[in-house]
Amino acid sequence: PRHRLLRARTVSKIDLWTRHADHVIAGCEWVNYLYHWDTLTLGHFAIDTDLWKRSAASGLPADQKEPIRILHAPNHRHIKGTEHFIRAVEELRQEGMGIELIVLERVPNSEIRRAIAAADLIADQLVMGWYALFAIEAMAMEKPVLCHIREDLRHFYVAAGLLEEDELPLIDCSPGTVKETIREIALKPDELPALGRKGREFVIRHHSLESVGAILDRINRSLGIRPSAV
């Protein structure tokens, strides 16, 4: 809500970048706020997939189905829809379902990585309509991710040739559907590992250091920037 106080400054910065940047990279839902871009991506975020990978002690033992442990680590509760995740889990617990929600805020990234490894399901966001770094970190560690995906954005990136029609591995839900989505997942925990593997494959294809590095290398070369001799 406080972002409204920065509106004039935000508009002036976008105008400044539009007029003076040598190259504009767009992605995520940012396409709604930019007047122009030179390169379109799903998101510029890159991750070391050798560092962020499945832990040997990851998740619940195969013979233990409950409770399903859900991790939510919001940097901004309002734009992540934290209250909807909390309400959905509380209502399901009141119905007798074995579900645990862990909410982590303002903790070191190393602790986030350990928490992802111990979780069965990651709750990213329900408001923004696209995914970013936290979801990418979780997918790289083979964790299924709850994340609202705006259908217009998905169609946009498919039409742009950056996505296949059914390629996104995220579990789409909204404030109105998150409770039933979590219920369905909790009743079919055996499906979680396959969803997790699909997520890691997606990250390697679109957000690894190699894939994003190749995009940035092409941009740099188009601007006359070459790697220095080793």
Side-chain angles (χ1 to χ4, degrees), residues 52-64 67 69 71 112-122 137-144 189 192-193 196-197 200:
W52 292 84
K53 59 185 178 181
R54 181 176 176 82
S55 166
S58 183
L60 292 173
D63 59 350
Q64 184 178 346
R69 290 174 293 187
L71 173 66
I112 292 293
R113 189 161 73 237
R114 288 193 295 269
I116 292 174
D120 303 296
L121 181 66
I122 306 302
E137 291 171 343
M139 287 190 288
M141 297 183 71
E142 298 189 25
K143 300 297 179 174
L192 293 177
R197 289 190 293 271
R200 180 168 174 82

Side-chain angles (χ1 to χ4, degrees), residues 20-176:
H20 297 292
D22 293 310
H23 198 100
V24 176
I25 303 172
C28 302
E29 81 284 7
W30 312 328
V31 293
N32 292 138
Y33 313 108
L34 295 175
Y35 309 116
H36 161 80
W37 53 79
D38 301 290
T39 295
L40 180 65
T41 69
L42 299 178
H44 72 289
F45 305 103
I47 190 171
D48 185 343
T49 52
D50 290 329
L51 176 64
W52 292 84
K53 59 185 178 181
R54 181 176 176 82
S55 166
S58 183
L60 292 173
D63 59 350
Q64 184 178 346
K65 303 303 183 185
E66 292 185 335
I68 296 292
R69 290 174 293 187
I70 303 175
L71 173 66
H72 179 54
N75 50 359
H76 300 286
R77 284 193 170 214
H78 290 286
I79 64 175
K80 295 288 186 173
T82 300
E83 64 180 277
H84 301 291
F85 285 123
I86 293 174
R87 183 184 304 117
V89 171
E90 286 180 349
E91 291 178 1
L92 289 170
R93 286 174 60 86
Q94 289 171 7
E95 295 175 14
M97 298 199 71
I99 301 173
E100 178 185 2
L101 177 65
I102 300 100
V103 179
L104 293 181
E105 298 174 278
R106 294 180 292 278
V107 300
N109 199 242
S110 58
E111 184 174 339
I112 292 293
R113 189 161 73 237
R114 288 193 295 269
I116 292 174
D120 303 296
L121 181 66
I122 306 302
D124 182 23
Q125 61 81 24
L126 294 169
V127 176
M128 297 165 60
W130 203 245
Y131 67 93
L133 189 56
F134 178 51
I136 293 169
E137 291 171 343
M139 287 190 288
M141 297 183 71
E142 298 189 25
K143 300 297 179 174
V145 178
L146 296 166
C147 181
H148 175 48
I149 297 296
R150 279 173 38 193
E151 192 65 6
D152 63 318
L153 286 176
R154 190 185 68 80
H155 283 308
F156 173 74
Y157 286 112
V158 169
L162 298 181
L163 271 182
E164 298 297 329
E165 187 65 39
D166 298 314
E167 187 180 4
L168 273 180
L170 299 144
I171 303 169
D172 182 26
C173 55
S174 67

